[in-house]
C-alpha cells in the first residue's frame, strides 16, 4: 500500500475541481428551472460527476491517512472521532443556519421542511433517506456509511483480509447491478447497503493498494487516459447516452476515469511533490465548506436575477459567474474562520481528555 510521504497538493487541486463541477452543475440546473436560461449552453449538466470524484478520492484519502493504524483496535475510536468531527459540526452549523433563514425569510430560501422531532434526528444525523435541508447532504449519508465499513479494518488483524473483504463487498454490489436488480427505490437502509456508488469508495481503496506496484512511467498516461475518458463520458451523458441503467452507469463512466486520474496523479506526486498556487490549495482545502454552502446561496442568487427579470444572456452569465466567485469566497471564509478552527479545537479537546 502507499505510505504517507508527501502532502498531496494535486489531490487538493482535484478536490477543488470536483467541488466546482458540482457548483456549476447546480448553476446549470437551477438557472434552467428558475430563469429558463441555459448556463453555458447546458455544458455542465455532467457536473454532478464531481461527486463521483469525491467518492473515489475519499476512499483513497481514508486509506492513505489510516494505513498505519489498520489492524489495531485501539486506533478505531480516534479514527471515528476524526471522521465525526470532519463531517458533522460544519454540517450542523450550515443546516441550522439555513433552517433559521427559512423561518425568518421564507421568500429568500425555503425547503418546506417539516419541523418534527423524528425529522430533525434523521436530518441532523444524516440517516439514509433523510429530508434534505441542503440538497447535497444525501452524499454524506454514504460517506458516513463508508467510514463505518472502513472501521472494521481496524478490528481485522490481517490487512490483506480486510482488503479482500472490501473488494468482495464491492464485487457483490456490482453483481447485483449486473443481474438487473436495483434497490434504489426501495427501503432506504437496504439501498444504503447496495447503492452502486459505494463501489467508488472501494475504487479509492484499491488505488491506495496498487499505486506502489504501478511503474512510474505510467503516471502521466493514466492521468491523460482518465481525463479523456471523463470528458468523453461528459459528452455522452449530456447527450443522453447511457451504457447501463440506473446509478451504476455513472460509476462506470465517471468512477473508473476518476480512479485512473487519482491513481496517476498520486503516483506522479509521490515521486516528486508538485508546486501548486495557493489559490488552488485553498480551494481544495475549503471544498467541503463550498460543497455545503453553495446550493442555497446559488439558488437565492438565481431567484434574484429572475425577480429583476434580467433577460440579457451575457449579463445573466456575468452575474451568475460573479455569484459563484462570491460563494467561493464565502466558503473560504467559513473554512478559515469556522470549519478549520472548530475541527482543530474539537480534536485537541478530545485528545487532551485522554
Amino acid at each position: 500500500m502507499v505510505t504517507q510521504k508527501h502532502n498531496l497538493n494535486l489531490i487538493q487541486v482535484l478536490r477543488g475541481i470536483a467541488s466546482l463541477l458540482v457548483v456549476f452543475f447546480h448553476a446549470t440546473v437551477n438557472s434552467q428551472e428558475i430563469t429558463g436560461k441555459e448556463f453555458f449552453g447546458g455544458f455542465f449538466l455532467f457536473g454532478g460527476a464531481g461527486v463521483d470524484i469525491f467518492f473515489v478520492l475519499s476512499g483513497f484519502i481514508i486509506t492513505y491517512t489510516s494505513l498505519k493504524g489498520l489492524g489495531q483496535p485501539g486506533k478505531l475510536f480516534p479514527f471515528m472521532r476524526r471522521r465525526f468531527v470532519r463531517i458533522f459540526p460544519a454540517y450542523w452549523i450550515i443546516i441550522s443556519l439555513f433552517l433559521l433563514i427559512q423561518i425568518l425569510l421564507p421568500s429568500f430560501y425555503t425547503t418546506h421542511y417539516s419541523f418534527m422531532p423524528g425529522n430533525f434526528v434523521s436530518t441532523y444525523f444524516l440517516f439514509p433517506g433523510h429530508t434534505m435541508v441542503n440538497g447535497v447532504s444525501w452524499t454524506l449519508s454514504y460517506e458516513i456509511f463508508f467510514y463505518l465499513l472502513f472501521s472494521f479494518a481496524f478490528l481485522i488483524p490481517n490487512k490483506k483480509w480486510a482488503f479482500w473483504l472490501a473488494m468482495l463487498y464491492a464485487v457483490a454490489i456490482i453483481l447485483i447491478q449486473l443481474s438487473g436488480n436495483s434497490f434504489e427505490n426501495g427501503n432506504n437502509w437496504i439501498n444504503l447497503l447496495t447503492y452502486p456508488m459505494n463501489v467508488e469508495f472501494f475504487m479509492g481503496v484499491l488505488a491506495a493498494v496498487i499505486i506502489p506496484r504501478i511503474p512510474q512511467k505510467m503516471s502521466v498516461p493514466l492521468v491523460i487516459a482518465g481525463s479523456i475518458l471523463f470528458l468523453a463520458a461528459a459528452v455522452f451523458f449530456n447527450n443522453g447516452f447511457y451504457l447501463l441503467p440506473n446509478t451504476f452507469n455513472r460509476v462506470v463512466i465517471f468512477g473508473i476515469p476518476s480512479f485512473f486520474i487519482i491513481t496517476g496523479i498520486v503516483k506522479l506526486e509521490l515521486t516528486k511533490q508538485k508546486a501548486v498556487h495557493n489559490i488552488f490549495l485553498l480551494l481544495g482545502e475549503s471544498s467541503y465548506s463550498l460543497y455545503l454552502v453553495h446550493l442555497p446561496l446559488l439558488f437565492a442568487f438565481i431567484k434574484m436575477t429572475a425577480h429583476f427579470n434580467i433577460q440579457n444572456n451575457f449579463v445573466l452569465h456575468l452575474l451568475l459567474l460573479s455569484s459563484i466567485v462570491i460563494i467561493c469566497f464565502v466558503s473560504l471564509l467559513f473554512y478559515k474562520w469556522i470549519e478549520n478552527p472548530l475541527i482543530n479545537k474539537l480534536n485537541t479537546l478530545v485528545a487532551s481528555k485522554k
Side-chain angles (χ1 to χ4, degrees):
M1 291 187 183
V2 63
T3 55
Q4 241 178 312
K5 295 179 182 178
H6 303 284
N7 292 322
L8 299 177
N9 291 337
L10 295 180
I11 285 293
Q12 289 286 35
V13 173
L14 191 58
R15 287 176 63 186
I17 292 172
S19 62
L20 283 177
L21 280 177
V22 176
V23 172
F24 275 70
F25 164 70
H26 285 132
T28 301
V29 172
N30 284 286
S31 179
Q32 178 64 41
E33 289 181 357
I34 297 171
T35 69
K37 303 287 186 179
E38 284 196 333
F39 181 61
F40 282 105
F43 176 76
F44 288 101
L45 277 173
F46 77 95
V51 174
D52 300 270
I53 298 174
F54 272 130
F55 279 12
V56 181
L57 268 176
S58 183
F60 169 76
I61 292 170
I62 293 301
T63 306
Y64 178 73
T65 57
S66 305
L67 180 61
K68 291 182 180 179
L70 297 184
Q72 302 178 45
K75 301 292 185 180
L76 174 57
F77 175 75
F79 168 78
M80 291 306 297
R81 181 251 301 165
R82 288 192 301 271
R83 294 300 96 204
F84 181 95
V85 168
R86 182 72 180 86
I87 292 291
F88 281 107
Y91 168 72
W92 285 339
I93 291 170
I94 293 296
I95 63 168
S96 297
L97 177 62
F98 286 139
L99 280 175
L100 182 61
I101 292 173
Q102 177 176 314
I103 294 170
L104 299 178
L105 300 168
S107 61
F108 178 80
Y109 176 67
T110 180
T111 61
H112 306 291
Y113 188 80
S114 175
F115 292 88
M116 301 294 291
N119 211 28
F120 268 111
V121 172
S122 177
T123 298
Y124 272 76
F125 286 95
L126 293 166
F127 291 166
H130 65 272
T131 303
M132 290 186 289
V133 177
N134 190 330
V136 301
S137 64
W138 66 271
T139 64
L140 302 181
S141 298
Y142 294 99
E143 187 85 22
I144 292 167
F145 178 58
F146 170 67
Y147 297 158
L148 292 172
L149 288 178
F150 190 88
S151 68
F152 285 103
F154 295 96
L155 304 176
I156 299 172
N158 190 310
K159 293 178 183 179
K160 288 184 179 180
W161 295 353
F163 170 75
W164 287 114
L165 283 172
M167 293 303 107
L168 183 62
Y169 174 71
V171 168
I173 295 177
I174 293 171
L175 291 176
I176 289 172
Q177 299 303 313
L178 293 178
S179 69
N181 294 310
S182 176
F183 301 99
E184 291 184 45
N185 298 317
N187 181 276
N188 289 324
W189 292 95
I190 294 176
N191 180 44
L192 183 70
L193 288 168
T194 61
Y195 196 58
M197 289 180 71
N198 287 337
V199 173
E200 294 177 333
F201 292 114
F202 295 101
M203 287 182 183
V205 174
L206 179 62
V209 172
I210 68 171
I211 283 172
R213 298 169 174 80
I214 295 175
Q216 178 62 30
K217 63 182 181 180
M218 290 298 298
S219 58
V220 174
L222 278 170
V223 175
I224 294 173
S227 301
I228 291 172
L229 287 172
F230 195 93
L231 290 173
V235 172
F236 281 116
F237 183 87
N238 284 353
N239 286 280
F241 296 112
Y242 298 91
L243 294 175
L244 296 160
N246 304 317
T247 307
F248 189 52
N249 181 72
R250 67 186 293 174
V251 175
V252 174
I253 68 171
F254 291 121
I256 293 174
S258 298
F259 168 78
F260 288 160
I261 294 169
I262 291 165
T263 302
I265 65 175
V266 172
K267 186 66 181 182
L268 185 66
E269 194 161 29
L270 284 177
T271 303
K272 184 179 180 181
Q273 191 166 5
K274 304 299 178 181
V276 174
H277 195 283
N278 282 342
I279 190 65
F280 298 112
L281 292 178
L282 287 172
L283 184 61
E285 290 171 355
S286 61
S287 59
Y288 182 54
S289 293
L290 177 58
Y291 191 68
L292 288 178
V293 307
H294 80 273
L295 183 53
L297 293 180
L298 193 59
F299 182 82
F301 272 115
I302 296 173
K303 287 267 287 187
M304 288 172 62
T305 62
H307 175 75
F308 289 104
N309 196 30
I310 299 172
Q311 296 297 318
N312 185 281
N313 205 41
F314 175 78
V315 174
L316 279 172
H317 276 76
L318 183 62
L319 289 173
L320 197 46
L321 286 172
S322 299
S323 73
I324 290 172
V325 172
I326 293 169
I327 290 169
C328 287
F329 184 68
V330 169
S331 303
L332 180 57
L333 293 180
F334 182 84
Y335 170 76
K336 284 287 189 181
W337 292 350
I338 299 176
E339 181 193 348
N340 196 46
L342 184 60
I343 288 173
N344 292 335
K345 182 68 174 178
L346 290 173
N347 280 326
T348 302
L349 185 64
V350 173
S352 66
K353 292 183 177 181
K354 291 183 179 179

